[in-house]
């Protein structure tokens, strides 16, 4: 196991063979990374006190922090972090104990907190804040702090959600090819 991918208290990350984790990203503990997913430079994915599940074809971009909440009297059952398939998480995003469902885009610098849920095909704008327990309906652009529904997504924006995820899958191959040529 690489030094940036490490166990915690007997739980080791499970990373799909065709997934990509940059050497400068740190992945710790009870973390699952699905097929063709990617974690880019300087990300922290810390599944130490609860689990983190990242689905297939999902990208976690540079400098993002992913963490969870433990089971306690203040949060019975804790709050795992569940990210479904085809999700794009922009640069410097904080995801904490929330759920991001299929084909969402979380904009640069956004923050999504414990037990919040982004329904399928949600676009969350840059710098937005999703408060604990808030549920964002899919098919809409959400902006602000706290996040508020701004408008319905256009057909082009809905198409873009899939384009970005597919583009990051292609980028994995380019990075692998570059690593082979060094």
């Amino acid at each position: 196991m690489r030094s940036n991918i490490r166990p915690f208290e007997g739980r080791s990350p499970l990373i799909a063979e065709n997934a990509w984790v940059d050497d400068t990203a740190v992945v710790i503990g009870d973390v699952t990374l699905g097929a063709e997913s990617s974690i880019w430079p300087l990300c922290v994915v810390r599944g130490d006190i609860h689990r983190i599940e990242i689905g297939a074809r999902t990208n976690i971009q540079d400098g993002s922090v992913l963490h969870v909440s433990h089971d306690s009297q203040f949060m019975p059952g804790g709050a795992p972090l569940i990210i479904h398939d085809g999700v794009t998480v922009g640069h410097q995003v904080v995801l904490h104990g929330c759920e991001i469902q299929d084909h969402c885009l979380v904009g640069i610098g956004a923050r999504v907190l414990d037990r919040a849920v982004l329904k399928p095909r949600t676009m969350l704008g840059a710098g937005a804040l999703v408060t604990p327990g808030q549920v964002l309906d899919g098919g809409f652009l959400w902006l602000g702090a706290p996040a508020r529904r701004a408008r319905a997504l256009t057909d082009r924006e809905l198409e873009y959600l899939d384009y970005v995820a597919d583009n990051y899958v292609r980028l994995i191959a380019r990075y692998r090819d570059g690593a082979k040529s060094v």
Side-chain angles (χ1 to χ4, degrees):
M1 186 168 284
R2 296 172 8 200
S3 64
N4 65 316
I5 300 171
R6 53 186 183 258
F8 180 79
E9 294 183 346
R11 291 193 169 99
S12 295
L14 300 173
I15 298 172
E17 190 173 314
N18 61 352
W20 175 263
V21 177
D22 187 84
D23 289 340
T24 65
V26 178
V27 181
I28 301 169
D30 192 0
V31 176
T32 303
L33 182 61
E36 299 181 308
S37 286
S38 52
I39 300 176
W40 295 94
L42 304 175
C43 289
V44 175
V45 182
R46 188 159 56 97
D48 52 1
I49 57 175
H50 215 312
R51 74 187 188 284
I52 297 176
E53 299 174 10
I54 301 171
R57 302 176 67 80
T58 287
N59 61 88
I60 311 298
Q61 296 175 18
D62 311 58
S64 292
V65 175
L66 281 57
H67 196 231
V68 291
S69 286
H70 69 282
D71 178 25
S72 73
Q73 66 199 37
F74 303 104
M75 185 158 301
L81 174 56
I82 312 295
I83 306 171
H84 293 252
D85 299 335
V87 173
T88 294
V89 175
H91 308 289
Q92 295 186 334
V93 165
V94 175
L95 299 179
H96 200 279
C98 57
E99 181 178 2
I100 313 296
Q101 296 180 355
D102 294 336
H103 308 287
C104 290
L105 185 146
V106 180
I108 294 169
R111 294 148 296 160
V112 185
L113 303 180
D114 288 342
R115 296 186 176 162
V117 177
L118 275 62
K119 296 288 189 166
R121 298 201 175 278
T122 295
M123 187 178 285
L124 181 63
L129 170 64
V130 182
T131 58
Q134 189 176 4
V135 177
L136 306 189
D137 292 328
F140 295 95
L141 171 64
W142 294 77
L143 301 172
R148 291 185 177 87
R149 189 165 74 186
R151 61 172 172 76
L153 294 175
T154 66
D155 289 342
R156 185 136 172 97
E157 288 167 330
L158 289 165
E159 184 181 328
Y160 182 72
L161 296 175
D162 294 327
Y163 167 81
V164 174
D166 291 343
N167 189 57
Y168 268 86
V169 170
R170 289 188 295 273
L171 193 56
I172 292 169
R174 291 173 62 194
Y175 269 76
R176 280 210 170 89
D177 290 346
K180 291 176 190 171
S181 65
V182 173

